[in-house]
Amino acid sequence: MVKKSRISPIFKRAFSHIFTKPATTKYPFVKAILPEDSRCKTVYEIKSCNVIDIGTGLKGGPTLDVGSIVGSSCRVCVRDCPAGAIEIVEVEGKKRPQIRFDKCIFCHQCVESCPRGAISSSIFYELATTDKCALIQKPNLNIKETKSS
C-alpha cells in the first residue's frame, strides 16, 4: 500500500494568501483619509475664547467681549474634561486653557461644551513623540487679539 503525501492545511492557506490583496495600508507613506467626525487632536483658538455670541442668529451679529468682565476664561472646558487634561494657566496676565495630550482621552467633551467655540477638532492624528513636553498645547498670545467695537 502506497501512502499519498498530504499537504498541510497551513501551507494551503499560506499559498492562497500569496495571490490576495493585502489587508494593511501603506500608512507612513500614504496618509489615511479620515471621516469628518473623527476625534483627533483638539485645537485651541485664542481669539474666540473671550467672545460670546449674544444670540441674535445673524451672521456677523453683535458679540460681547467678556475678557475684562470674567477674567478671560469661563473654565467650562476644565470642568467638563473627564480626564483632567485641561488646566488654566496664566499667560501675559490672562488666564487661558492649556491642553495636555498625554492625559487626554480624546472624548472631545471640551469641543462639545465650549460655549464660544474656542476649542475645535482637527484632522491631525499623529501625536507620537519621544518628548513628553511636546504633548502639551500651551496657549500663546502671539496672535493679535481683536476687540469688537
Side-chain angles (χ1 to χ4, degrees):
M1 192 168 191
V2 179
K3 274 188 154 181
K4 291 184 180 179
S5 64
R6 238 179 91 178
I7 299 175
S8 172
I10 294 172
F11 292 118
K12 285 182 183 178
R13 186 164 180 125
F15 187 72
S16 70
H17 282 288
I18 292 173
F19 301 108
T20 59
K21 185 179 176 183
T24 58
T25 60
K26 299 176 182 175
Y27 163 63
F29 309 108
V30 179
K31 301 290 182 194
I33 298 171
L34 301 175
E36 290 181 22
D37 60 345
S38 60
R39 295 179 177 178
C40 298
K41 182 179 178 181
T42 54
V43 178
Y44 171 67
E45 252 186 77
I46 204 161
K47 287 183 189 177
S48 303
C49 195
N50 290 338
V51 181
I52 296 178
D53 183 12
I54 301 230
T56 59
L58 300 172
K59 187 153 184 121
T63 57
L64 174 66
D65 183 11
V66 294
S68 58
I69 301 171
V70 272
S72 303
S73 183
C74 68
R75 293 184 169 94
V76 173
C77 54
V78 176
R79 182 193 68 199
D80 288 348
C81 181
I86 303 174
E87 53 191 19
I88 300 296
V89 295
E90 192 166 323
V91 178
E92 296 181 17
K94 293 190 176 188
K95 294 184 179 183
R96 302 290 185 190
Q98 175 175 287
I99 303 170
R100 297 190 53 153
F101 293 112
D102 56 341
K103 289 184 177 182
C104 184
I105 59 172
F106 299 95
C107 66
H108 281 229
Q109 184 61 41
C110 55
V111 176
E112 300 283 331
S113 63
C114 182
R116 300 168 187 156
I119 300 175
S120 60
S121 182
S122 72
I123 59 168
F124 186 72
Y125 58 91
E126 296 174 325
L127 296 173
T129 182
T130 56
D131 183 19
K132 206 169 186 179
C133 293
L135 295 173
I136 299 173
Q137 185 179 20
K138 297 178 182 178
N140 56 356
L141 292 177
N142 295 338
I143 304 168
K144 298 288 182 192
E145 293 186 47
T146 57
K147 292 198 175 191
S148 304
S149 351

PDB file of all heavy atoms in Angstrom, residues 24-62:
ATOM      1  N   THR A  24      -3.551  45.470   4.883  1.00  0.00           N
ATOM      2  CA  THR A  24      -2.982  46.644   5.533  1.00  0.00           C
ATOM      3  C   THR A  24      -2.843  47.803   4.552  1.00  0.00           C
ATOM      4  O   THR A  24      -2.941  47.629   3.346  1.00  0.00           O
ATOM      5  CB  THR A  24      -1.593  46.322   6.108  1.00  0.00           C
ATOM      6  OG1 THR A  24      -0.759  45.862   5.057  1.00  0.00           O
ATOM      7  CG2 THR A  24      -1.680  45.279   7.204  1.00  0.00           C
ATOM      8  N   THR A  25      -2.597  48.997   5.098  1.00  0.00           N
ATOM      9  CA  THR A  25      -2.390  50.179   4.261  1.00  0.00           C
ATOM     10  C   THR A  25      -0.916  50.552   4.274  1.00  0.00           C
ATOM     11  O   THR A  25      -0.155  50.055   5.098  1.00  0.00           O
ATOM     12  CB  THR A  25      -3.211  51.368   4.788  1.00  0.00           C
ATOM     13  OG1 THR A  25      -2.786  51.653   6.120  1.00  0.00           O
ATOM     14  CG2 THR A  25      -4.697  51.055   4.766  1.00  0.00           C
ATOM     15  N   LYS A  26      -0.547  51.454   3.419  1.00  0.00           N
ATOM     16  CA  LYS A  26       0.839  51.922   3.362  1.00  0.00           C
ATOM     17  C   LYS A  26       0.952  53.191   4.198  1.00  0.00           C
ATOM     18  O   LYS A  26       1.331  54.239   3.703  1.00  0.00           O
ATOM     19  CB  LYS A  26       1.231  52.169   1.911  1.00  0.00           C
ATOM     20  CG  LYS A  26       1.140  50.929   1.068  1.00  0.00           C
ATOM     21  CD  LYS A  26       1.424  51.220  -0.368  1.00  0.00           C
ATOM     22  CE  LYS A  26       1.270  49.941  -1.179  1.00  0.00           C
ATOM     23  NZ  LYS A  26       1.423  50.174  -2.597  1.00  0.00           N
ATOM     24  N   TYR A  27       0.602  53.085   5.492  1.00  0.00           N
ATOM     25  CA  TYR A  27       0.412  54.247   6.351  1.00  0.00           C
ATOM     26  C   TYR A  27       1.529  55.296   6.381  1.00  0.00           C
ATOM     27  O   TYR A  27       1.243  56.433   6.082  1.00  0.00           O
ATOM     28  CB  TYR A  27       0.079  53.833   7.784  1.00  0.00           C
ATOM     29  CG  TYR A  27       0.273  54.954   8.756  1.00  0.00           C
ATOM     30  CD1 TYR A  27      -0.489  56.101   8.659  1.00  0.00           C
ATOM     31  CD2 TYR A  27       1.246  54.909   9.724  1.00  0.00           C
ATOM     32  CE1 TYR A  27      -0.302  57.161   9.508  1.00  0.00           C
ATOM     33  CE2 TYR A  27       1.430  55.958  10.589  1.00  0.00           C
ATOM     34  CZ  TYR A  27       0.658  57.072  10.480  1.00  0.00           C
ATOM     35  OH  TYR A  27       0.855  58.120  11.312  1.00  0.00           O
ATOM     36  N   PRO A  28       2.717  55.004   6.698  1.00  0.00           N
ATOM     37  CA  PRO A  28       3.642  56.130   6.835  1.00  0.00           C
ATOM     38  C   PRO A  28       3.853  56.889   5.528  1.00  0.00           C
ATOM     39  O   PRO A  28       4.126  58.069   5.528  1.00  0.00           O
ATOM     40  CB  PRO A  28       4.942  55.508   7.314  1.00  0.00           C
ATOM     41  CG  PRO A  28       4.646  54.120   7.683  1.00  0.00           C
ATOM     42  CD  PRO A  28       3.377  53.747   7.029  1.00  0.00           C
ATOM     43  N   PHE A  29       3.684  56.196   4.414  1.00  0.00           N
ATOM     44  CA  PHE A  29       3.952  56.811   3.121  1.00  0.00           C
ATOM     45  C   PHE A  29       2.691  57.411   2.505  1.00  0.00           C
ATOM     46  O   PHE A  29       2.752  58.404   1.794  1.00  0.00           O
ATOM     47  CB  PHE A  29       4.569  55.779   2.177  1.00  0.00           C
ATOM     48  CG  PHE A  29       5.748  55.083   2.800  1.00  0.00           C
ATOM     49  CD1 PHE A  29       5.675  53.773   3.204  1.00  0.00           C
ATOM     50  CD2 PHE A  29       6.930  55.774   3.028  1.00  0.00           C
ATOM     51  CE1 PHE A  29       6.749  53.143   3.801  1.00  0.00           C
ATOM     52  CE2 PHE A  29       8.015  55.163   3.620  1.00  0.00           C
ATOM     53  CZ  PHE A  29       7.926  53.842   4.009  1.00  0.00           C
ATOM     54  N   VAL A  30       1.545  56.806   2.760  1.00  0.00           N
ATOM     55  CA  VAL A  30       0.262  57.292   2.250  1.00  0.00           C
ATOM     56  C   VAL A  30      -0.626  57.583   3.457  1.00  0.00           C
ATOM     57  O   VAL A  30      -0.956  56.674   4.215  1.00  0.00           O
ATOM     58  CB  VAL A  30      -0.406  56.238   1.336  1.00  0.00           C
ATOM     59  CG1 VAL A  30      -1.748  56.744   0.849  1.00  0.00           C
ATOM     60  CG2 VAL A  30       0.504  55.881   0.182  1.00  0.00           C
ATOM     61  N   LYS A  31      -0.989  58.855   3.630  1.00  0.00           N
ATOM     62  CA  LYS A  31      -1.802  59.253   4.782  1.00  0.00           C
ATOM     63  C   LYS A  31      -3.244  58.767   4.612  1.00  0.00           C
ATOM     64  O   LYS A  31      -3.803  58.807   3.516  1.00  0.00           O
ATOM     65  CB  LYS A  31      -1.809  60.776   4.947  1.00  0.00           C
ATOM     66  CG  LYS A  31      -0.437  61.358   5.137  1.00  0.00           C
ATOM     67  CD  LYS A  31       0.129  61.008   6.465  1.00  0.00           C
ATOM     68  CE  LYS A  31       1.479  61.663   6.635  1.00  0.00           C
ATOM     69  NZ  LYS A  31       2.238  61.170   7.695  1.00  0.00           N
ATOM     70  N   ALA A  32      -3.837  58.364   5.704  1.00  0.00           N
ATOM     71  CA  ALA A  32      -5.216  57.889   5.678  1.00  0.00           C
ATOM     72  C   ALA A  32      -6.180  59.062   5.545  1.00  0.00           C
ATOM     73  O   ALA A  32      -5.934  60.147   6.075  1.00  0.00           O
ATOM     74  CB  ALA A  32      -5.519  57.127   6.967  1.00  0.00           C
ATOM     75  N   ILE A  33      -7.278  58.853   4.848  1.00  0.00           N
ATOM     76  CA  ILE A  33      -8.329  59.863   4.732  1.00  0.00           C
ATOM     77  C   ILE A  33      -9.339  59.566   5.831  1.00  0.00           C
ATOM     78  O   ILE A  33      -9.960  58.501   5.858  1.00  0.00           O
ATOM     79  CB  ILE A  33      -8.985  59.816   3.347  1.00  0.00           C
ATOM     80  CG1 ILE A  33      -7.936  60.121   2.275  1.00  0.00           C
ATOM     81  CG2 ILE A  33     -10.135  60.808   3.275  1.00  0.00           C
ATOM     82  CD1 ILE A  33      -8.415  59.893   0.861  1.00  0.00           C
ATOM     83  N   LEU A  34      -9.486  60.514   6.737  1.00  0.00           N
ATOM     84  CA  LEU A  34     -10.351  60.313   7.895  1.00  0.00           C
ATOM     85  C   LEU A  34     -11.732  60.899   7.653  1.00  0.00           C
ATOM     86  O   LEU A  34     -11.877  61.880   6.921  1.00  0.00           O
ATOM     87  CB  LEU A  34      -9.732  60.985   9.117  1.00  0.00           C
ATOM     88  CG  LEU A  34      -8.348  60.504   9.516  1.00  0.00           C
ATOM     89  CD1 LEU A  34      -7.821  61.334  10.658  1.00  0.00           C
ATOM     90  CD2 LEU A  34      -8.384  59.049   9.911  1.00  0.00           C
ATOM     91  N   PRO A  35     -12.748  60.350   8.287  1.00  0.00           N
ATOM     92  CA  PRO A  35     -14.077  60.957   8.189  1.00  0.00           C
ATOM     93  C   PRO A  35     -14.107  62.299   8.920  1.00  0.00           C
ATOM     94  O   PRO A  35     -13.265  62.577   9.776  1.00  0.00           O
ATOM     95  CB  PRO A  35     -14.994  59.935   8.865  1.00  0.00           C
ATOM     96  CG  PRO A  35     -14.111  59.008   9.595  1.00  0.00           C
ATOM     97  CD  PRO A  35     -12.744  59.106   9.017  1.00  0.00           C
ATOM     98  N   GLU A  36     -15.083  63.129   8.588  1.00  0.00           N
ATOM     99  CA  GLU A  36     -15.162  64.475   9.161  1.00  0.00           C
ATOM    100  C   GLU A  36     -15.373  64.466  10.671  1.00  0.00           C
ATOM    101  O   GLU A  36     -14.921  65.361  11.364  1.00  0.00           O
ATOM    102  CB  GLU A  36     -16.295  65.251   8.497  1.00  0.00           C
ATOM    103  CG  GLU A  36     -16.015  65.616   7.068  1.00  0.00           C
ATOM    104  CD  GLU A  36     -17.149  66.398   6.449  1.00  0.00           C
ATOM    105  OE1 GLU A  36     -17.936  67.015   7.187  1.00  0.00           O
ATOM    106  OE2 GLU A  36     -17.235  66.401   5.219  1.00  0.00           O
ATOM    107  N   ASP A  37     -16.064  63.472  11.186  1.00  0.00           N
ATOM    108  CA  ASP A  37     -16.373  63.448  12.615  1.00  0.00           C
ATOM    109  C   ASP A  37     -15.362  62.652  13.436  1.00  0.00           C
ATOM    110  O   ASP A  37     -15.646  62.251  14.556  1.00  0.00           O
ATOM    111  CB  ASP A  37     -17.776  62.901  12.843  1.00  0.00           C
ATOM    112  CG  ASP A  37     -17.947  61.487  12.320  1.00  0.00           C
ATOM    113  OD1 ASP A  37     -17.090  61.031  11.545  1.00  0.00           O
ATOM    114  OD2 ASP A  37     -18.946  60.847  12.686  1.00  0.00           O
ATOM    115  N   SER A  38     -14.164  62.437  12.897  1.00  0.00           N
ATOM    116  CA  SER A  38     -13.150  61.695  13.650  1.00  0.00           C
ATOM    117  C   SER A  38     -12.614  62.557  14.793  1.00  0.00           C
ATOM    118  O   SER A  38     -12.543  63.766  14.696  1.00  0.00           O
ATOM    119  CB  SER A  38     -12.021  61.255  12.729  1.00  0.00           C
ATOM    120  OG  SER A  38     -11.411  62.362  12.146  1.00  0.00           O
ATOM    121  N   ARG A  39     -12.262  61.913  15.871  1.00  0.00           N
ATOM    122  CA  ARG A  39     -11.784  62.619  17.069  1.00  0.00           C
ATOM    123  C   ARG A  39     -10.272  62.608  17.095  1.00  0.00           C
ATOM    124  O   ARG A  39      -9.658  61.702  17.616  1.00  0.00           O
ATOM    125  CB  ARG A  39     -12.343  61.958  18.320  1.00  0.00           C
ATOM    126  CG  ARG A  39     -13.828  62.074  18.409  1.00  0.00           C
ATOM    127  CD  ARG A  39     -14.316  61.391  19.644  1.00  0.00           C
ATOM    128  NE  ARG A  39     -15.753  61.560  19.758  1.00  0.00           N
ATOM    129  CZ  ARG A  39     -16.467  61.036  20.710  1.00  0.00           C
ATOM    130  NH1 ARG A  39     -15.886  60.292  21.622  1.00  0.00           N
ATOM    131  NH2 ARG A  39     -17.753  61.236  20.763  1.00  0.00           N
ATOM    132  N   CYS A  40      -9.694  63.647  16.551  1.00  0.00           N
ATOM    133  CA  CYS A  40      -8.244  63.779  16.503  1.00  0.00           C
ATOM    134  C   CYS A  40      -7.817  64.856  17.494  1.00  0.00           C
ATOM    135  O   CYS A  40      -8.544  65.166  18.423  1.00  0.00           O
ATOM    136  CB  CYS A  40      -7.803  64.112  15.088  1.00  0.00           C
ATOM    137  SG  CYS A  40      -8.223  62.831  13.897  1.00  0.00           S
ATOM    138  N   LYS A  41      -6.669  65.432  17.268  1.00  0.00           N
ATOM    139  CA  LYS A  41      -6.118  66.465  18.149  1.00  0.00           C
ATOM    140  C   LYS A  41      -7.052  67.675  18.208  1.00  0.00           C
ATOM    141  O   LYS A  41      -7.581  68.109  17.191  1.00  0.00           O
ATOM    142  CB  LYS A  41      -4.752  66.885  17.624  1.00  0.00           C
ATOM    143  CG  LYS A  41      -4.060  67.910  18.475  1.00  0.00           C
ATOM    144  CD  LYS A  41      -2.696  68.255  17.896  1.00  0.00           C
ATOM    145  CE  LYS A  41      -2.026  69.319  18.727  1.00  0.00           C
ATOM    146  NZ  LYS A  41      -0.731  69.694  18.186  1.00  0.00           N
ATOM    147  N   THR A  42      -7.256  68.206  19.401  1.00  0.00           N
ATOM    148  CA  THR A  42      -8.074  69.413  19.547  1.00  0.00           C
ATOM    149  C   THR A  42      -7.208  70.644  19.351  1.00  0.00           C
ATOM    150  O   THR A  42      -6.018  70.637  19.637  1.00  0.00           O
ATOM    151  CB  THR A  42      -8.732  69.471  20.943  1.00  0.00           C
ATOM    152  OG1 THR A  42      -7.722  69.352  21.929  1.00  0.00           O
ATOM    153  CG2 THR A  42      -9.758  68.385  21.119  1.00  0.00           C
ATOM    154  N   VAL A  43      -7.829  71.698  18.863  1.00  0.00           N
ATOM    155  CA  VAL A  43      -7.134  72.942  18.574  1.00  0.00           C
ATOM    156  C   VAL A  43      -7.799  74.052  19.376  1.00  0.00           C
ATOM    157  O   VAL A  43      -9.024  74.174  19.391  1.00  0.00           O
ATOM    158  CB  VAL A  43      -7.193  73.267  17.063  1.00  0.00           C
ATOM    159  CG1 VAL A  43      -6.523  74.583  16.774  1.00  0.00           C
ATOM    160  CG2 VAL A  43      -6.562  72.161  16.262  1.00  0.00           C
ATOM    161  N   TYR A  44      -6.987  74.869  20.031  1.00  0.00           N
ATOM    162  CA  TYR A  44      -7.491  75.983  20.828  1.00  0.00           C
ATOM    163  C   TYR A  44      -7.258  77.285  20.073  1.00  0.00           C
ATOM    164  O   TYR A  44      -6.139  77.604  19.704  1.00  0.00           O
ATOM    165  CB  TYR A  44      -6.777  76.007  22.184  1.00  0.00           C
ATOM    166  CG  TYR A  44      -7.057  77.244  22.996  1.00  0.00           C
ATOM    167  CD1 TYR A  44      -8.317  77.498  23.492  1.00  0.00           C
ATOM    168  CD2 TYR A  44      -6.054  78.164  23.251  1.00  0.00           C
ATOM    169  CE1 TYR A  44      -8.571  78.636  24.220  1.00  0.00           C
ATOM    170  CE2 TYR A  44      -6.293  79.294  23.988  1.00  0.00           C
ATOM    171  CZ  TYR A  44      -7.557  79.523  24.464  1.00  0.00           C
ATOM    172  OH  TYR A  44      -7.802  80.648  25.184  1.00  0.00           O
ATOM    173  N   GLU A  45      -8.332  78.032  19.820  1.00  0.00           N
ATOM    174  CA  GLU A  45      -8.237  79.320  19.145  1.00  0.00           C
ATOM    175  C   GLU A  45      -8.358  80.424  20.180  1.00  0.00           C
ATOM    176  O   GLU A  45      -9.405  80.620  20.774  1.00  0.00           O
ATOM    177  CB  GLU A  45      -9.373  79.466  18.134  1.00  0.00           C
ATOM    178  CG  GLU A  45      -8.924  79.359  16.716  1.00  0.00           C
ATOM    179  CD  GLU A  45     -10.065  79.646  15.774  1.00  0.00           C
ATOM    180  OE1 GLU A  45     -10.410  80.825  15.604  1.00  0.00           O
ATOM    181  OE2 GLU A  45     -10.597  78.670  15.243  1.00  0.00           O
ATOM    182  N   ILE A  46      -7.294  81.152  20.371  1.00  0.00           N
ATOM    183  CA  ILE A  46      -7.250  82.152  21.431  1.00  0.00           C
ATOM    184  C   ILE A  46      -8.152  83.345  21.147  1.00  0.00           C
ATOM    185  O   ILE A  46      -8.672  83.970  22.059  1.00  0.00           O
ATOM    186  CB  ILE A  46      -5.794  82.587  21.691  1.00  0.00           C
ATOM    187  CG1 ILE A  46      -5.645  83.123  23.095  1.00  0.00           C
ATOM    188  CG2 ILE A  46      -5.316  83.568  20.655  1.00  0.00           C
ATOM    189  CD1 ILE A  46      -4.228  83.154  23.585  1.00  0.00           C
ATOM    190  N   LYS A  47      -8.401  83.649  19.871  1.00  0.00           N
ATOM    191  CA  LYS A  47      -9.256  84.789  19.521  1.00  0.00           C
ATOM    192  C   LYS A  47     -10.693  84.559  19.954  1.00  0.00           C
ATOM    193  O   LYS A  47     -11.386  85.490  20.318  1.00  0.00           O
ATOM    194  CB  LYS A  47      -9.247  85.018  18.005  1.00  0.00           C
ATOM    195  CG  LYS A  47      -7.984  85.609  17.479  1.00  0.00           C
ATOM    196  CD  LYS A  47      -8.151  85.853  15.990  1.00  0.00           C
ATOM    197  CE  LYS A  47      -6.860  86.236  15.340  1.00  0.00           C
ATOM    198  NZ  LYS A  47      -7.014  86.411  13.899  1.00  0.00           N
ATOM    199  N   SER A  48     -11.161  83.324  19.888  1.00  0.00           N
ATOM    200  CA  SER A  48     -12.560  83.018  20.178  1.00  0.00           C
ATOM    201  C   SER A  48     -12.855  82.855  21.660  1.00  0.00           C
ATOM    202  O   SER A  48     -14.011  82.791  22.039  1.00  0.00           O
ATOM    203  CB  SER A  48     -12.961  81.729  19.461  1.00  0.00           C
ATOM    204  OG  SER A  48     -12.738  81.836  18.095  1.00  0.00           O
ATOM    205  N   CYS A  49     -11.849  82.779  22.493  1.00  0.00           N
ATOM    206  CA  CYS A  49     -12.071  82.442  23.892  1.00  0.00           C
ATOM    207  C   CYS A  49     -12.814  83.531  24.660  1.00  0.00           C
ATOM    208  O   CYS A  49     -13.516  83.230  25.597  1.00  0.00           O
ATOM    209  CB  CYS A  49     -10.742  82.131  24.577  1.00  0.00           C
ATOM    210  SG  CYS A  49     -10.929  81.307  26.165  1.00  0.00           S
ATOM    211  N   ASN A  50     -12.666  84.775  24.297  1.00  0.00           N
ATOM    212  CA  ASN A  50     -13.308  85.846  25.063  1.00  0.00           C
ATOM    213  C   ASN A  50     -14.595  86.361  24.455  1.00  0.00           C
ATOM    214  O   ASN A  50     -15.230  87.220  25.023  1.00  0.00           O
ATOM    215  CB  ASN A  50     -12.355  87.032  25.196  1.00  0.00           C
ATOM    216  CG  ASN A  50     -11.199  86.723  26.100  1.00  0.00           C
ATOM    217  OD1 ASN A  50     -11.303  85.833  26.920  1.00  0.00           O
ATOM    218  ND2 ASN A  50     -10.112  87.411  25.940  1.00  0.00           N
ATOM    219  N   VAL A  51     -14.984  85.881  23.299  1.00  0.00           N
ATOM    220  CA  VAL A  51     -16.132  86.458  22.607  1.00  0.00           C
ATOM    221  C   VAL A  51     -17.315  85.513  22.680  1.00  0.00           C
ATOM    222  O   VAL A  51     -17.218  84.340  22.352  1.00  0.00           O
ATOM    223  CB  VAL A  51     -15.778  86.752  21.135  1.00  0.00           C
ATOM    224  CG1 VAL A  51     -16.945  87.365  20.419  1.00  0.00           C
ATOM    225  CG2 VAL A  51     -14.574  87.674  21.065  1.00  0.00           C
ATOM    226  N   ILE A  52     -18.462  86.036  23.138  1.00  0.00           N
ATOM    227  CA  ILE A  52     -19.697  85.268  23.208  1.00  0.00           C
ATOM    228  C   ILE A  52     -20.700  85.884  22.240  1.00  0.00           C
ATOM    229  O   ILE A  52     -20.895  87.095  22.216  1.00  0.00           O
ATOM    230  CB  ILE A  52     -20.293  85.299  24.632  1.00  0.00           C
ATOM    231  CG1 ILE A  52     -19.361  84.612  25.614  1.00  0.00           C
ATOM    232  CG2 ILE A  52     -21.658  84.640  24.655  1.00  0.00           C
ATOM    233  CD1 ILE A  52     -19.851  84.655  27.036  1.00  0.00           C
ATOM    234  N   ASP A  53     -21.347  85.040  21.436  1.00  0.00           N
ATOM    235  CA  ASP A  53     -22.399  85.496  20.539  1.00  0.00           C
ATOM    236  C   ASP A  53     -23.629  85.784  21.390  1.00  0.00           C
ATOM    237  O   ASP A  53     -24.039  84.973  22.200  1.00  0.00           O
ATOM    238  CB  ASP A  53     -22.688  84.402  19.508  1.00  0.00           C
ATOM    239  CG  ASP A  53     -23.729  84.822  18.489  1.00  0.00           C
ATOM    240  OD1 ASP A  53     -24.061  86.021  18.434  1.00  0.00           O
ATOM    241  OD2 ASP A  53     -24.198  83.948  17.745  1.00  0.00           O
ATOM    242  N   ILE A  54     -24.225  86.955  21.199  1.00  0.00           N
ATOM    243  CA  ILE A  54     -25.367  87.354  22.026  1.00  0.00           C
ATOM    244  C   ILE A  54     -26.584  86.492  21.731  1.00  0.00           C
ATOM    245  O   ILE A  54     -27.443  86.327  22.553  1.00  0.00           O
ATOM    246  CB  ILE A  54     -25.660  88.853  21.815  1.00  0.00           C
ATOM    247  CG1 ILE A  54     -24.428  89.598  22.186  1.00  0.00           C
ATOM    248  CG2 ILE A  54     -26.903  89.283  22.534  1.00  0.00           C
ATOM    249  CD1 ILE A  54     -24.504  90.711  23.084  1.00  0.00           C
ATOM    250  N   GLY A  55     -26.670  85.926  20.547  1.00  0.00           N
ATOM    251  CA  GLY A  55     -27.767  85.015  20.248  1.00  0.00           C
ATOM    252  C   GLY A  55     -28.813  85.597  19.340  1.00  0.00           C
ATOM    253  O   GLY A  55     -29.971  85.191  19.379  1.00  0.00           O
ATOM    254  N   THR A  56     -28.451  86.552  18.490  1.00  0.00           N
ATOM    255  CA  THR A  56     -29.427  87.121  17.568  1.00  0.00           C
ATOM    256  C   THR A  56     -29.642  86.223  16.365  1.00  0.00           C
ATOM    257  O   THR A  56     -30.648  86.332  15.685  1.00  0.00           O
ATOM    258  CB  THR A  56     -28.953  88.506  17.068  1.00  0.00           C
ATOM    259  OG1 THR A  56     -27.699  88.354  16.423  1.00  0.00           O
ATOM    260  CG2 THR A  56     -28.842  89.483  18.216  1.00  0.00           C
ATOM    261  N   GLY A  57     -28.681  85.342  16.087  1.00  0.00           N
ATOM    262  CA  GLY A  57     -28.801  84.444  14.953  1.00  0.00           C
ATOM    263  C   GLY A  57     -28.293  85.051  13.663  1.00  0.00           C
ATOM    264  O   GLY A  57     -28.253  84.387  12.636  1.00  0.00           O
ATOM    265  N   LEU A  58     -27.932  86.317  13.665  1.00  0.00           N
ATOM    266  CA  LEU A  58     -27.437  86.976  12.466  1.00  0.00           C
ATOM    267  C   LEU A  58     -25.950  86.715  12.303  1.00  0.00           C
ATOM    268  O   LEU A  58     -25.200  86.785  13.271  1.00  0.00           O
ATOM    269  CB  LEU A  58     -27.682  88.492  12.549  1.00  0.00           C
ATOM    270  CG  LEU A  58     -29.139  88.937  12.682  1.00  0.00           C
ATOM    271  CD1 LEU A  58     -29.203  90.428  12.946  1.00  0.00           C
ATOM    272  CD2 LEU A  58     -29.901  88.593  11.420  1.00  0.00           C
ATOM    273  N   LYS A  59     -25.541  86.433  11.081  1.00  0.00           N
ATOM    274  CA  LYS A  59     -24.114  86.208  10.815  1.00  0.00           C
ATOM    275  C   LYS A  59     -23.394  87.548  10.961  1.00  0.00           C
ATOM    276  O   LYS A  59     -23.791  88.540  10.368  1.00  0.00           O
ATOM    277  CB  LYS A  59     -23.918  85.643   9.419  1.00  0.00           C
ATOM    278  CG  LYS A  59     -22.502  85.247   9.167  1.00  0.00           C
ATOM    279  CD  LYS A  59     -22.446  84.142   8.146  1.00  0.00           C
ATOM    280  CE  LYS A  59     -21.022  83.708   7.999  1.00  0.00           C
ATOM    281  NZ  LYS A  59     -20.843  82.339   8.296  1.00  0.00           N
ATOM    282  N   GLY A  60     -22.353  87.570  11.750  1.00  0.00           N
ATOM    283  CA  GLY A  60     -21.631  88.820  11.994  1.00  0.00           C
ATOM    284  C   GLY A  60     -22.420  89.755  12.908  1.00  0.00           C
ATOM    285  O   GLY A  60     -22.189  90.955  12.939  1.00  0.00           O
ATOM    286  N   GLY A  61     -23.384  89.193  13.635  1.00  0.00           N
ATOM    287  CA  GLY A  61     -24.221  89.983  14.533  1.00  0.00           C
ATOM    288  C   GLY A  61     -23.449  90.433  15.755  1.00  0.00           C
ATOM    289  O   GLY A  61     -22.237  90.258  15.859  1.00  0.00           O
ATOM    290  N   PRO A  62     -24.138  91.039  16.708  1.00  0.00           N
ATOM    291  CA  PRO A  62     -23.457  91.583  17.885  1.00  0.00           C
ATOM    292  C   PRO A  62     -22.813  90.497  18.744  1.00  0.00           C
ATOM    293  O   PRO A  62     -23.361  89.421  18.927  1.00  0.00           O
ATOM    294  CB  PRO A  62     -24.569  92.289  18.650  1.00  0.00           C
ATOM    295  CG  PRO A  62     -25.825  91.702  18.157  1.00  0.00           C
ATOM    296  CD  PRO A  62     -25.584  91.237  16.767  1.00  0.00           C
TER     297      PRO A  62
END
